[in-house]
Amino acid sequence: QVQLVESGGGLVQPGGSLRLSCAASVTIFSIYAMGWYRQAPGKQRELVAVISGGSTNYADSVKGRFTISRDNGKKTVYLQMNSLKPEDTAVYYCNLHSILTSTGYWGQGTQVTVSS
């Protein structure tokens, strides 16, 4: 069984920063693509950022502000969020994807609230 544990969410003022973490209970972390998604109330879940090997991709709304990274030794993926806006308020979810088996797993989600 794959388990993903997210942390780092919270309340932050506009312009502030947060770093989300997602630790994976897998044997070999480096073989999986990892992504961050978010879902705001009344909206569909959207892809925020993905990292696979040395390649990263970002949603247009977060380019230049968010950075996804991973530490394969710690089996953890991170999302550094800078210059946060109220529009970034959402539940953020970690996703692990195996291209070999075409299967994916979700974390429990962590709340990010950007407000004065």
Side-chain angles (χ1 to χ4, degrees):
Q1 289 287 335
V2 175
Q3 293 183 336
L4 303 173
V5 180
E6 296 150 314
S7 62
L11 175 64
V12 65
Q13 293 183 337
S17 298
L18 285 173
R19 190 177 78 157
L20 306 183
S21 300
C22 173
S25 61
V26 294
T27 304
I28 308 175
F29 182 72
S30 61
I31 66 175
Y32 301 104
M34 300 296 298
W36 286 98
Y37 293 71
R38 68 185 182 187
Q39 187 167 25
K43 297 182 179 180
Q44 70 176 32
R45 188 171 299 185
E46 65 175 346
L47 177 65
V48 176
V50 62
I51 183 167
S52 180
S55 179
T56 60
N57 287 282
Y58 299 90
D60 289 341
S61 60
V62 306
K63 286 181 179 178
R65 300 188 298 120
F66 291 10
T67 303
I68 188 171
S69 62
R70 65 194 296 166
D71 185 329
N72 290 331
K74 295 182 178 180
K75 300 179 181 179
T76 301
V77 64
Y78 305 95
L79 185 67
Q80 179 66 47
M81 304 184 294
N82 299 325
S83 302
L84 283 162
K85 306 174 181 179
E87 305 94 277
D88 296 318
T89 296
V91 177
Y92 284 71
Y93 297 91
C94 176
N95 177 265
L96 176 148
H97 179 75
S98 173
I99 192 170
L100 296 178
T101 61
S102 298
T103 56
Y105 300 86
W106 293 98
Q108 81 284 357
T110 184
Q111 177 70 48
V112 172
T113 302
V114 184
S115 176
S116 297

